[in-house]
Amino acid sequence: MGREEAKEQSKTALKEKELAACAKKQARKDKEWEKGTDTRGTAKSAETAAKEAEAARRKAEAKAQELSEGGEAPRPSTSQTGQFKKCKFCSTKHDPKKGCPM
């Protein structure tokens, strides 16, 4: 039974080592997040972040207003919805509205 016990002990030691490394890495990421930097070392100022948030809010309001005034929501393109059809002539899949590319 010594071999099996040793194997079990090595597994638990390895698992503990991985968990410790993961916790250390997470702590480092949390510290960087609080500081406002990402892993590449670029920092966003609070002013830039506020401007981006304001722009996103205005964009969302404009879209909501357009929809409430009777405007239609933009339809996704066929490439986003996966509506490619297999061509009879060239056997490739492409957008049927655009025609065969060959």
Side-chain angles (χ1 to χ4, degrees):
M1 283 248 226
R3 188 171 127 183
E4 291 155 357
E5 289 174 2
K7 199 175 195 181
E8 190 70 30
Q9 286 178 351
S10 68
K11 279 185 179 180
T12 56
L14 183 61
K15 190 173 249 185
E16 288 176 4
K17 183 179 176 184
E18 288 175 356
L19 288 173
C22 183
K24 184 177 178 183
K25 185 177 181 180
Q26 188 63 39
R28 180 181 49 82
K29 284 184 176 184
D30 290 341
K31 185 177 178 183
E32 288 177 358
W33 180 260
E34 289 172 5
K35 216 171 28 169
T37 60
D38 62 5
T39 55
R40 293 180 300 276
T42 57
K44 281 190 177 181
S45 67
E47 184 178 312
T48 306
K51 283 181 183 178
E52 288 177 358
E54 178 67 23
R57 185 189 59 78
R58 283 194 314 262
K59 196 176 209 180
E61 284 179 359
K63 189 172 186 177
Q65 183 180 1
E66 180 183 335
L67 290 175
S68 68
E69 291 175 351
E72 291 185 19
R75 298 184 67 205
S77 70
T78 55
S79 62
Q80 294 172 340
T81 58
Q83 295 178 354
F84 287 103
K85 304 286 183 188
K86 188 171 182 180
C87 182
K88 297 176 196 174
F89 307 109
C90 65
S91 300
T92 60
K93 289 187 175 184
H94 56 82
D95 188 358
K97 293 178 184 175
K98 294 181 181 176
C100 184
M102 302 266 168

